[in-house]
Amino acid sequence: MKFVLLIMGLLTSYSSMAAPPLSFSQVAPGIYLHTSAHHWPDRDNHGEIANIGFIVGERCVAVIDSGGSPQQGAALRNTIRQVTAKPVCYVINTHVHPDHIYGNIAFKEPGVQFVGHHKLARAMATRGDHYLGRAAELLDIQVNHDNIIPPDIEVNDSMTLNIGNRELVLTAHPSAHTDNDLSVYDKTTETIWLADLLFLEHIPVIDGSIKGWLSEIERLEKNHYKLVVPGHGHLVKDWPASLQPQKAYLNSLATEVRAMIKQGKTLEQAVNTVGLPAKKNWQLFEQFHRKNVTIAFAELEWED
């Protein structure tokens, strides 16, 4: 039995080392982005559905989200090795969802520090068993508690990482998409990696606070960025214009849910009526919209 387990471990290790590099675009000097198509996570795509990438400094490399599976993480690592001889020094997880963190294990080695929101470790601990318990059935991947790697460095408000003549400003946001959202701003190219604080084409997914997300949108849209990397969708070059569809969806959702609550309507009535005309505007609407209504209703019914 031990021999079989040893062989299986060796095969898994070999498979990870042999993972083919991912397709990447250099969207700005030293910034490399893998853009994913919009899919529901399943056994065919193995949960590899989010935008991931890395930034190269003069000293080392910062990974921003490691991918939706250990194999994708290995492929990302192998891509980095083809691009540069500089070592990876940071793996920055923008939030807790599996499509952004399951590749972490590929970078678990001396010299690499994991970075996240100060609430990320708690979210990982709270959700880890649930995520891991469903991974084999839903995603056809093998993961265990070693794949849930909490941050070595926690960001409470903001923090600047220097990767060699290149400063990355990390911001820990209030509850929005989740309660552990982290963004990364590259001063050199005026590029911000918003991850799942921004969705394009893919319907926004609320797993935190609709009120908080709208507040963050109001703050972010006042800032100037040359490039914006969403968690799902294409690279943004017209900020804040590309933010407006998401803002409109969330505003409309909040307005309609508040009206339903004021009228004394039930959650079930809200889920069956609120926001349905927006279906034509978003991919994966059927998979996420009713959940969004449910979460918004639960939050807004307790407003003063």
Side-chain angles (χ1 to χ4, degrees), residues 246-261:
Q246 173 176 291
K247 179 182 178 181
Y249 170 78
L250 294 174
N251 264 323
S252 178
L253 183 60
T255 298
E256 290 187 49
V257 168
R258 285 187 174 110
M260 295 286 284
I261 292 170

Side-chain angles (χ1 to χ4, degrees), residues 258-283:
R258 285 187 174 110
M260 295 286 284
I261 292 170
K262 187 175 182 180
Q263 295 165 19
K265 303 295 186 182
T266 65
L267 171 59
E268 183 179 4
Q269 288 172 311
V271 166
N272 289 328
T273 58
V274 166
L276 297 183
K279 180 177 179 179
K280 63 181 183 298
N281 300 327
W282 299 102
Q283 296 184 41

